Amino acid sequence: LFCSRQWAIPGLMSAPDITWQVEDGARHNFSPACPRFARGLYIAAAPCAELPGWGLGDTDHGLRMMSLTSWLDLLCQCKIEHVICIMNDEELEKKFGNLGDGGLEATCRGQGLGFSPVAVQEPSETLQEVLHQLQKLPKSQSTVLVCHDGRGSSAAAAVAWLTLRCGQTLDSSINAVVEAARQVGASRAPLEAFEN
């Protein structure tokens, strides 16, 4: 099965035809954030999220490399140009330090992707930094928001963008992000970022 949509990226004349295998999207919890109001903005889990223990510990190195390769292929298929990664340096190093080009950032950059790391802090500070990173990017650049599982922090950041930058109400932003994910077999829980 394929998921095929035309997503118009702001600033471009025509909408690129974005197609990906549904099973790959589900594996990486990948979806558009909200095609109607934030075209070119996507949400995904970090590579290895689908592996036992999120790819940490005794997880086979080969499985971790296959997950990273599959994740990068998915981003390439969907014409993603920039990754905003909401994870702490320690988690990034433990999970990806010995993969690819020596870490997730180096590997993404080696594939021609832009990469902006955002450290996990208090939820409001994290969201503020993600919004700052998004504002710095060219409007025509397709971007994926990534957190460890794609459900909480990255979804909350997409909701914040829709609410604060696209003029949507909080409830409609939450519903849009959750529904866009549901349509392609992904899962979002944006309010989890604020629990605890």
Side-chain angles (χ1 to χ4, degrees):
L1 292 174
F2 285 91
C3 183
S4 180
R5 300 276 196 266
Q6 281 204 342
W7 310 113
I9 300 170
L12 297 181
M13 295 302 290
S14 63
D17 186 20
I18 304 296
T19 303
W20 67 91
Q21 297 250 349
V22 170
E23 61 209 28
D24 290 338
R27 176 180 185 188
H28 299 293
N29 203 14
F30 177 87
S31 74
C34 175
R36 184 171 176 204
F37 296 110
R39 295 174 183 158
L41 183 63
Y42 298 85
I43 302 169
C48 305
E50 78 284 6
L51 300 176
W54 287 321
L56 296 171
D58 295 332
T59 304
D60 179 80
H61 185 79
L63 289 175
R64 293 170 61 222
M65 278 301 299
M66 288 182 356
S67 177
L68 175 62
T69 302
S70 170
W71 186 82
L72 288 168
D73 287 347
L74 178 62
L75 299 189
C76 181
Q77 285 176 335
C78 295
K79 300 174 178 64
I80 303 295
E81 299 169 278
H82 196 90
V83 176
I84 296 179
C85 184
I86 309 166
M87 296 171 73
N88 288 323
D89 290 339
E90 182 179 336
E91 183 180 9
L92 284 168
E93 180 60 32
K94 280 183 186 177
K95 207 169 186 182
F96 308 111
N98 63 348
L99 289 180
D101 294 339
L104 188 58
E105 180 173 1
T107 302
C108 286
R109 290 190 185 281
Q111 297 295 311
L113 298 168
F115 191 92
S116 299
V118 174
V120 177
Q121 309 163 50
E122 290 296 318
S124 62
E125 293 173 12
T126 301
L127 293 178
Q128 186 175 23
E129 180 58 24
V130 172
L131 294 178
H132 175 72
Q133 294 298 324
L134 279 168
Q135 280 188 289
K136 290 182 359 181
L137 297 173
K139 287 183 179 182
S140 63
Q141 193 166 64
S142 60
T143 301
V144 64
L145 302 173
V146 173
C147 65
H148 72 278
D149 66 359
R151 290 177 38 84
S153 298
S154 54
V159 167
W161 182 260
L162 288 169
T163 304
L164 299 172
R165 301 291 182 232
C166 300
Q168 301 305 300
T169 66
L170 179 59
D171 286 343
S172 68
S173 296
I174 291 169
N175 291 337
V177 166
V178 169
E179 180 59 20
R182 186 196 63 73
Q183 288 180 4
V184 294
S187 174
R188 304 286 174 250
L191 297 179
E192 279 184 5
F194 298 97
E195 295 175 354
N196 289 340

